[in-house]
Amino acid sequence: MADLQARLVEALGERHVSPGATDPDLQHDECLTVPPTAAALVVHPGCTADVAAVLRIAAEFRVPVTARGRGTGMSGAAVPRPDGVLVAFDRMDAVLEIDEGNHVAVVQPGVTLARLDEATRPVGLFYPVSPGEGSASLGGNVATNAGGMRAVRYGVTRHHVLGVEAVLVGGEVIRTGGRYVKTSSGYDLTQLIVGSEGTLALVTEVTLRLSPRTTHQATLLAPFPTFGAVTAAVPPIIASGVGPVILEYIDFLTMAAITANVDLDLGIPQQVKETAQAYLVVMLEQRDAGRLEEDVGRLGDQLTGLGATDVYVLPGGSAHRLIDAREKTFWVAKAAGANDIVDVVVPRAAMPEFLDQVRQIAEQHSSHVVGCGHAGDGNVHLGVFQPDPQVRHRLLHELFAVGHALGGAISGEHGIGQAKRHFFAELTDPTVLALLRRLKAAFDPDGILNPAVLFEETDA
Ligand SMILES: Cc1cc2nc3c(=O)[nH]c(=O)nc-3n(C[C@H](O)[C@H](O)[C@H](O)COP(=O)(O)OP(=O)(O)OC[C@H]3O[C@@H](n4cnc5c(N)ncnc54)[C@H](O)[C@@H]3O)c2cc1C
């Protein structure tokens, strides 16, 4: 290890190489089930050449390498190995260019979502993908294919990544894609790297597609008397063509907890609250105030027709506070003692059946499973309260298996990481798993990039 440290110091300078034990913040992400681990060494590269040097040296020494953005991930994918090197991208945090003509931003991976939002605001553009944590980095977003509330209208990270610069194991630097929105030119390496959780290559620059900022927004809140009705309302709302920018469901327990957390009174009468099993939150946006008003009227009528007990058009301040409270759901669930958080995705029309089965599974295992979700995408975020790891594993296996059988996937946006790799191995078609392993081996023959992530270690 002393030789490795000496070589890294020679390449990056003493200030940018340190033992992993010195900074506890770099030993964990926000996953509830993967324990913190100190890397043998942490490096803070300042440029692509530094990253190339690190990967060259790591390949030579055959040590595991884990990339880290801001550590807000939910799957333990940024938790390093005790015998490995953690590559922290905090110094590579420049917005390199906002190209107004092409609606493109070029950023280094350590740029946060909040910083990109500041940089695009003055020119009337924005990066519309909004995973709930503004401190997350674009490198982390790319590696997890992050989603968030606005995916129902704008799509997820992969729909906005036009190209990347990435460093391969051994130190070669590649560029994929570019400032164009279509390509039919061979295998799409950009899209292969998006969502690969730091297992194929380290991303050192991202070219992102931007959108024009919209000016007029309205948020409707609709309580429903049953879970079935709230989730069954989603496909007709999408089919209406009203094009919601946010379409979330929140169960009554979660709504009570997240509004209490930020001391938010939405003015809902007590008798309505008492009969509500769950709520839909629908945000609409338009560039024209008149058209927005028409859409709000039409959607209000539709929600009533679909069984909402009432429909509230929230004043701007309350609407923003509710969205903010919803984004903080994770912290509320964590403070309440949730033992795990999952984000299964199913076809949106299958949500009523999925949630019904989740309730039965929870009951069978004497556990509590509550939550909310990006209903427009069929992406259900559930807080699982079951302290016994073995019971929880059985419960989660059944829950993921039901999602899978309904045509869904284990994770819609948080990723597999270390936390869900056992379930990934249990539920993925072995032929597909074998092909994924061959792809991994083509990029990383010695298996040094995030070896504990995605695959069972013996399978990697
Ligand atoms: C309160 C809260 C709410 C959240 N809400 C959402 C949500 O609604 N939707 C959603 O999708 N996510 C959500 N997240 C999860 C999180 O914000 C995302 O997973 C985010 O994309 C991770 O970014 P990061 O910079 O923190 O990455 P990290 O956690 O540091 O890393 C995540 C992964 O990216 C890899 N990585 C990081 N940088 C690079 C790089 N340069 N090259 C290659 N690999 C790299 C890491 O190795 C790891 O595999 C939420 C998190 C919190 C705490």
Side-chain angles (χ1 to χ4, degrees), residues 139-224:
N141 279 194
V142 168
T144 56
N145 186 27
M149 288 199 216
R150 295 200 208 113
V152 63
R153 169 75 161 264
Y154 290 103
V156 297
T157 302
R158 73 166 67 256
H159 302 124
H160 297 268
V161 179
L162 300 176
V164 298
E165 177 190 80
V167 183
L168 306 178
V169 166
E172 291 161 296
V173 179
I174 58 164
R175 280 191 166 271
T176 69
R179 296 180 195 202
Y180 43 79
V181 293
K182 58 198 283 196
T183 171
S184 177
S185 314
Y187 300 141
D188 194 334
L189 293 175
T190 308
Q191 294 301 330
L192 195 54
I193 289 170
V194 174
S196 62
E197 302 190 48
T199 62
L200 299 182
L202 300 195
V203 174
T204 45
E205 187 185 295
V206 192
T207 301
L208 294 164
R209 179 182 193 163
L210 303 175
S211 298
R213 277 183 195 257
T214 42
T215 36
H216 301 282
Q217 291 180 334
T219 303
L220 287 77
L221 176 67
F224 281 78

Side-chain angles (χ1 to χ4, degrees), residues 166-449:
V167 183
L168 306 178
V169 166
E172 291 161 296
V173 179
I174 58 164
R175 280 191 166 271
T176 69
R179 296 180 195 202
Y180 43 79
V181 293
K182 58 198 283 196
T183 171
S184 177
S185 314
Y187 300 141
D188 194 334
L189 293 175
T190 308
Q191 294 301 330
L192 195 54
I193 289 170
V194 174
S196 62
E197 302 190 48
T199 62
L200 299 182
L202 300 195
V203 174
T204 45
E205 187 185 295
V206 192
T207 301
L208 294 164
R209 179 182 193 163
L210 303 175
S211 298
R213 277 183 195 257
T214 42
T215 36
H216 301 282
Q217 291 180 334
T219 303
L220 287 77
L221 176 67
F224 281 78
T226 65
F227 280 102
V230 82
T231 43
V234 171
I237 293 171
I238 301 281
S240 75
V242 73
V245 65
I246 286 177
L247 178 47
E248 296 285 307
Y249 96 91
I250 306 175
D251 71 23
F252 72 102
L253 281 171
T254 304
M255 181 62 109
I258 64 173
T259 49
N261 179 49
V262 294
D263 201 15
L264 173 62
D265 182 357
L266 294 165
I268 303 167
Q270 192 56 31
Q271 84 260 25
V272 174
K273 279 191 199 164
E274 277 164 15
T275 58
Q277 283 290 307
Y279 298 78
L280 271 189
V281 181
V282 194
M283 184 187 277
L284 303 177
E285 62 179 21
Q286 280 286 359
R287 298 182 77 76
D288 175 278
R291 285 190 59 186
L292 180 65
E293 209 177 306
E294 268 175 42
D295 284 353
V296 168
R298 226 173 313 131
L299 178 62
D301 292 344
Q302 189 185 22
L303 285 164
T304 307
L306 289 166
T309 319
D310 210 342
V311 179
Y312 307 94
V313 181
L314 298 178
S318 299
H320 284 117
R321 287 187 64 203
L322 177 59
I323 298 300
D324 193 41
R326 159 67 188 90
E327 281 174 344
K328 294 190 168 72
T329 309
F330 166 73
W331 304 115
V332 175
K334 185 177 175 182
N339 302 100
D340 203 352
I341 306 280
V342 299
D343 84 306
V344 179
V345 64
V346 295
R348 70 168 81 90
M351 253 189 314
E353 184 174 349
F354 178 65
L355 286 178
D356 198 40
Q357 294 208 38
V358 167
R359 262 193 309 282
Q360 292 175 35
I361 293 167
E363 263 173 42
Q364 281 156 18
H365 292 282
S366 309
S367 310
H368 291 296
V369 179
V370 298
C372 52
H374 308 314
D377 310 326
N379 189 193
V380 180
H381 290 214
L382 298 168
V384 179
F385 294 78
Q386 171 51 260
D388 183 322
Q390 280 170 3
V391 177
R392 197 167 67 240
H393 188 96
R394 285 199 295 277
L395 181 157
L396 287 178
H397 179 91
E398 286 174 33
L399 190 150
F400 290 134
V402 164
H404 200 257
L406 289 169
I410 291 173
S411 168
E413 53 186 25
H414 293 164
I416 299 297
Q418 301 191 42
K420 304 291 180 297
R421 65 190 166 141
H422 309 299
F423 304 106
F424 189 62
E426 284 164 9
L427 291 168
T428 304
D429 172 353
T431 309
V432 171
L433 209 51
L435 179 58
L436 293 179
R437 276 193 228 114
R438 293 205 295 277
L439 275 172
K440 161 82 173 161
F443 276 81
D444 179 15
D446 291 327
I448 66 169
L449 284 181

Side-chain angles (χ1 to χ4, degrees), residues 57-144:
I57 296 165
E60 206 182 298
F61 283 76
R62 292 208 179 185
V63 290
V65 173
T66 296
R68 180 185 175 90
R70 301 287 166 160
T72 70
M74 300 277 200
S75 67
V79 178
R81 291 273 302 249
D83 55 344
V85 175
L86 182 73
V87 183
F89 279 98
D90 50 328
R91 283 176 71 218
M92 292 181 67
D93 64 347
V95 175
L96 299 172
E97 190 183 347
I98 304 294
D99 172 351
E100 288 181 63
N102 289 309
H103 283 191
V104 155
V106 183
V107 301
Q108 288 188 313
V111 169
T112 64
L113 284 163
R115 168 82 188 91
L116 181 58
D117 195 54
E118 268 168 35
T120 51
R121 189 177 291 275
V123 295
L125 296 173
F126 82 133
Y127 176 65
V129 186
S130 175
E133 182 52 59
S135 69
S137 75
L138 268 307
N141 279 194
V142 168
T144 56

